[in-house]
Amino acid sequence: MQMRAQKVLNFVRQHGSTYPKDVQAHFNHGRIKRWGADLNVSNHLLEGLQYRGLLRVVRREGGTRVYQTIEHPPRDDSPEARLARAGHLLDIVVQLYAPLPAASMVYVCRLLSYGVPQLAAEVRQLQEHAKSRYAHTQVDGLLWFWPHGENSRAARHEVDDKLRFLAPFDPVVWDRRRFQLFWSWEYKLEAYLPAHKRRMGHYAMPMLWGEQMLGWANLKVVDGGLQHELGFSGLRPRGSAFQRALEEALQQMREFLGL
């Protein structure tokens, strides 16, 4: 397969913008059984080359990918340089998702290794020495990590009175383990569950009000208007402050959708 991939890469380099059908017609690779599926080998090779950063999708035509080669400039591939590149990537991830409990740190390192398999060994090395790279402490028996120098009292961390609908993959929500530690209830994306098995809804978005994760909201456009259904992890807040924050959040969503 590696020999085939190299030949495909050479073909795209010589051919320029290349459709999968061009590769299939030239090589006639046939099909292969992988991961329980019957795959087109030409498509499999092209996707593998893209994953490894050797090809890019220059555009799509009718949903079909059109590939081109990526010519990488020479770079320092010494052990020190590779470790520095891996460290830079991990720093970006930690900056985005911190504070991270130790189990989540292990998980994001594993995901990063999948994303940059050429640096997987360096990512594992960084994971083993996370305590020397990041600020950390024990809270209620759990080890937590965050970037050195991060100031939790900075102005950008000040809490306001806005209500926010958060996407299921928002950095605040993405780490379901941390979510439950912070707010003591379990959030799940149920878009891929049959309708009768959903507890929260097709695309339930957690509702953050100040520092409280109140519950979730399902929004949909019906006859040109925005409809909403709310679910709460505890008691629904009473008083005009929450209702005002909710109306402001819904109005922002209407403006975003052009309704």
Side-chain angles (χ1 to χ4, degrees), residues 123-160:
V123 172
R124 286 194 296 271
Q125 183 179 344
L126 292 167
Q127 176 188 323
E128 292 169 0
H129 296 88
K131 286 186 177 180
S132 63
R133 190 175 187 90
Y134 302 110
H136 57 278
T137 194
Q138 291 271 349
V139 178
D140 293 337
L142 292 178
L143 179 62
W144 292 78
F145 293 94
W146 66 94
H148 278 297
E150 182 172 273
N151 180 10
S152 62
R153 297 184 179 182
R156 69 188 184 93
H157 295 309
E158 289 183 3
V159 178
D160 57 34

Side-chain angles (χ1 to χ4, degrees), residues 5 16 18 29 42 45 50 62 71 75 89 94 101 121 142 160 173 177 182 186 189 194 218 251:
T18 303
H29 286 132
S42 296
L45 293 170
Q50 181 195 357
E71 302 301 334
R75 64 183 180 185
L89 290 173
V94 173
L142 292 178
D160 57 34
V173 178
R177 179 186 293 104
F182 279 177
E186 184 181 25
L189 174 62
N218 283 279
Q251 182 57 32

Side-chain angles (χ1 to χ4, degrees), residues 204-234:
M205 295 182 290
M207 292 187 297
L208 179 65
W209 188 34
E211 292 184 317
Q212 303 176 63
M213 199 68 73
L214 301 175
W216 58 93
N218 283 279
L219 308 179
K220 60 182 177 180
V221 177
V222 179
D223 296 330
L226 182 66
Q227 291 187 0
H228 66 278
E229 295 179 353
L230 306 181
F232 294 90
S233 60

Side-chain angles (χ1 to χ4, degrees), residues 79-206:
E80 296 78 13
R82 292 171 59 84
L83 188 62
R85 286 198 294 274
H88 179 64
L89 290 173
L90 184 57
D91 288 348
I92 292 173
V93 173
V94 173
Q95 179 70 44
L96 181 63
Y97 291 112
L100 285 165
S104 297
M105 173 67 84
V106 172
Y107 182 55
V108 297
C109 286
R110 186 182 307 133
L111 292 180
L112 184 58
S113 296
Y114 295 153
V116 286
Q118 71 276 18
L119 296 175
E122 287 75 14
V123 172
R124 286 194 296 271
Q125 183 179 344
L126 292 167
Q127 176 188 323
E128 292 169 0
H129 296 88
K131 286 186 177 180
S132 63
R133 190 175 187 90
Y134 302 110
H136 57 278
T137 194
Q138 291 271 349
V139 178
D140 293 337
L142 292 178
L143 179 62
W144 292 78
F145 293 94
W146 66 94
H148 278 297
E150 182 172 273
N151 180 10
S152 62
R153 297 184 179 182
R156 69 188 184 93
H157 295 309
E158 289 183 3
V159 178
D160 57 34
D161 59 355
K162 292 183 178 180
L163 178 70
R164 292 173 171 87
F165 304 126
L166 302 181
F169 305 105
D170 186 279
V172 176
V173 178
W174 173 82
D175 185 355
R176 306 291 196 259
R177 179 186 293 104
R178 186 185 66 180
F179 186 103
Q180 190 160 9
L181 286 169
F182 279 177
W183 293 292
S184 301
W185 60 277
E186 184 181 25
Y187 167 73
K188 289 185 177 181
L189 174 62
E190 299 176 332
Y192 304 105
L193 287 178
H196 69 279
K197 292 185 177 181
R198 294 174 189 150
R199 181 172 63 89
M200 299 180 184
H202 175 258
Y203 198 79
M205 295 182 290

Side-chain angles (χ1 to χ4, degrees), residues 10-82:
N10 293 337
F11 176 81
V12 178
R13 183 176 288 119
Q14 296 169 7
H15 193 265
S17 296
T18 303
Y19 296 83
K21 65 180 182 181
D22 300 329
V23 175
Q24 188 172 357
H26 183 80
F27 291 101
N28 191 24
H29 286 132
R31 306 186 73 82
I32 189 174
K33 290 283 186 181
R34 283 287 171 88
W35 308 299
D38 185 26
L39 303 178
N40 181 302
V41 175
S42 296
N43 289 343
H44 179 63
L45 293 170
L46 288 167
E47 290 171 1
L49 289 165
Q50 181 195 357
Y51 174 70
R52 290 160 53 197
L54 299 173
L55 295 180
R56 69 187 181 97
V57 177
V58 65
R59 65 180 184 276
R60 292 175 183 263
E61 294 185 6
T64 300
R65 298 176 180 179
V66 182
Y67 291 93
Q68 282 186 351
T69 55
I70 299 175
E71 302 301 334
H72 297 282
R75 64 183 180 185
D76 183 356
D77 209 32
S78 66
E80 296 78 13
R82 292 171 59 84

